[in-house]
Amino acid sequence: MAISIRGVTKKFGNFTAVDGLNLEIGSGEFFSMLGPSGSGKTTVLRMIAGFELPTAGNISLNGEDVTTKAPFDRDVNTVFQDYALFPHLNVIDNVEYGLRVRGIHKDERRKRAMEALEKVHLADFAQRKPSQLSGGQRQRVALARAIVVEPKILLLDEPLGALDLKLREKMQIELKQLQRDLGITFIFVTHDQDEALTLSDRIAIFNNGKIEQIGTPVELYEKPASEFVARFVGTANVFDDAASKQIFGKAGTNMIRPEQVELGAKGKAATILETIYLGSTIRFILDLDGHQIIAEVSASDDSARTYRRGATVKVNMSPTDLVALNSKEK
């Protein structure tokens, strides 16, 4: 087990940022902590790194209790959103820095730094200054600097947040490939659900200092345990007890995803409130018996292209697609 967190609480004055957290992360896993701002995910990452100490509880890394150890006494490294590169050093000197402070001989650290740059496809940029690089290239330098010291665990604090959409998508693929090549544990913090779903082996959904649910991307999307998870991971149609009974004849709070809502010749009549073209799909906001629901249909569906705002359409939702939710949104 790469990381074991037992009963960890972190308080800042009267505010509880993390509340009695228990979490285990396996060796070689790409694990993401996903949640809104203030949910506690970054605080957990900082406690793993040693930048913050728990108010209560224990943290073990690779079987060693590091709860009170300083950051430099932990076999981890961190990549930050702002890159934190030294502007006066060129790329290879930035990458070498961690090896230099560890007393590694110049020839050896130069060799390892070049190998790290090759892994992130920047060997040809070794002599450039950070100011001469694009945002994506600077992020790759930060990654190379982090992996060159060969940590057993790499912590990534929203490292792609400053990049534009296309570059972020490209970096997501490269980051996943890098993690597979290195075979080390990656702990990734993000508030971007698509990013977490794309990259992760498993994801922990944080809310108010606690974990709502841990699972694979498929598990979290298809079988969310709570209303909060259903709404935070993807888009969800959530029906409270009254709506569930009215529409489906089923008690409790339930959810169905927009792509499982069929529009066509059968079902209940609904009014189209809005249509949103998303490229590969068309999203319809509908009024069904006073309840607003979302349907998402392939843009290649010719009939879907004919539906207009204000029109009446038939909506079919199978009760077998409903997912029961255990708790209401917090």
Side-chain angles (χ1 to χ4, degrees):
M1 194 63 57
I3 298 173
S4 179
I5 298 174
R6 294 294 180 189
V8 165
T9 293
K10 178 62 180 179
K11 293 186 177 182
F12 297 97
N14 294 324
F15 174 69
T16 302
V18 178
D19 190 4
L21 186 74
N22 293 299
L23 176 62
E24 290 192 340
I25 301 171
S27 298
E29 190 172 12
F30 199 123
F31 189 92
S32 289
M33 296 189 286
L34 173 67
S37 297
S39 61
K41 59 190 187 298
T42 297
T43 301
V44 172
L45 191 83
R46 289 178 62 81
M47 287 191 289
I48 294 171
F51 302 140
E52 300 283 355
L53 298 181
T55 305
N58 299 94
I59 298 174
S60 295
L61 304 182
N62 298 304
E64 178 187 3
D65 189 332
V66 298
T67 307
T68 60
K69 288 195 172 185
F72 52 78
D73 285 330
R74 306 182 186 209
D75 198 0
V76 303
N77 216 339
T78 307
V79 178
F80 301 99
Q81 181 177 337
D82 62 1
Y83 318 136
L85 301 177
F86 298 114
H88 63 288
L89 299 180
N90 63 20
V91 166
I92 195 160
D93 287 340
N94 263 284
V95 175
E96 283 185 4
Y97 182 79
L99 298 174
R100 189 170 68 186
V101 298
R102 286 166 172 78
I104 304 299
H105 187 272
K106 182 178 179 180
D107 291 342
E108 174 65 14
R109 67 177 187 249
R110 183 56 54 109
K111 174 177 174 292
R112 286 170 59 176
M114 284 304 298
E115 289 173 352
L117 285 173
E118 287 170 2
K119 286 186 173 78
V120 297
H121 313 295
L122 279 182
D124 293 339
F125 295 78
Q127 300 304 319
R128 292 194 186 184
K129 293 287 183 64
S131 61
Q132 298 173 303
L133 303 177
S134 68
Q137 288 167 341
R138 289 196 294 272
Q139 188 56 273
R140 289 190 186 96
V141 175
L143 282 167
R145 186 179 59 183
I147 65 175
V148 75
V149 296
E150 300 176 349
K152 292 182 179 177
I153 300 168
L154 187 63
L155 310 176
L156 302 107
D157 187 8
E158 304 204 39
L160 310 182
L163 305 179
D164 63 59
L165 177 61
K166 287 298 182 184
L167 185 54
R168 191 162 69 245
E169 291 174 345
K170 185 174 186 292
M171 284 297 298
Q172 287 171 8
I173 296 170
E174 292 186 6
L175 196 59
K176 183 61 178 175
Q177 290 174 338
L178 179 63
Q179 190 266 340
R180 285 177 174 159
D181 291 342
L182 295 173
I184 65 175
T185 306
F186 274 34
I187 313 299
F188 190 88
V189 163
T190 182
H191 63 270
D192 186 318
Q193 53 167 301
D194 291 335
E195 197 164 78
L197 293 173
T198 298
L199 291 168
S200 312
D201 297 318
R202 286 193 306 148
I203 304 167
I205 307 295
F206 278 73
N207 185 32
N208 292 329
K210 295 183 177 181
I211 293 177
E212 289 265 341
Q213 187 176 356
I214 299 175
T216 66
V218 172
E219 289 168 345
L220 294 174
Y221 187 81
E222 295 185 357
K223 301 293 181 182
S226 69
E227 184 173 346
F228 178 84
V229 175
R231 293 186 185 278
F232 198 80
V233 180
T235 303
N237 294 300
V238 177
F239 304 94
D240 62 16
D241 182 68
S244 292
K245 289 175 180 176
Q246 178 187 353
I247 298 172
F248 301 99
K250 184 176 180 179
T253 301
N254 296 278
M255 176 216 77
I256 192 168
R257 294 294 185 187
E259 63 270 20
Q260 296 169 318
V261 179
E262 297 178 357
L263 305 183
K266 62 179 182 178
K268 295 185 177 183
T271 302
I272 299 176
L273 302 176
E274 193 59 79
T275 65
I276 304 169
Y277 180 71
L278 298 174
S280 61
T281 62
I282 303 173
R283 181 172 292 176
F284 296 93
I285 314 299
L286 308 164
D287 182 282
L288 175 65
D289 295 336
H291 303 287
Q292 186 170 296
I293 64 171
I294 300 172
E296 201 156 303
V297 181
S298 171
S300 64
D301 184 336
D302 291 336
S303 61
R305 289 175 173 267
T306 66
Y307 298 144
R308 296 291 182 266
R309 185 160 56 93
T312 299
V313 294
K314 295 285 188 177
V315 174
N316 183 45
M317 294 181 287
S318 172
T320 59
D321 289 328
L322 284 179
V323 176
L325 302 176
N326 295 331
S327 60
K328 292 183 179 180
E329 185 174 5
K330 297 179 180 178

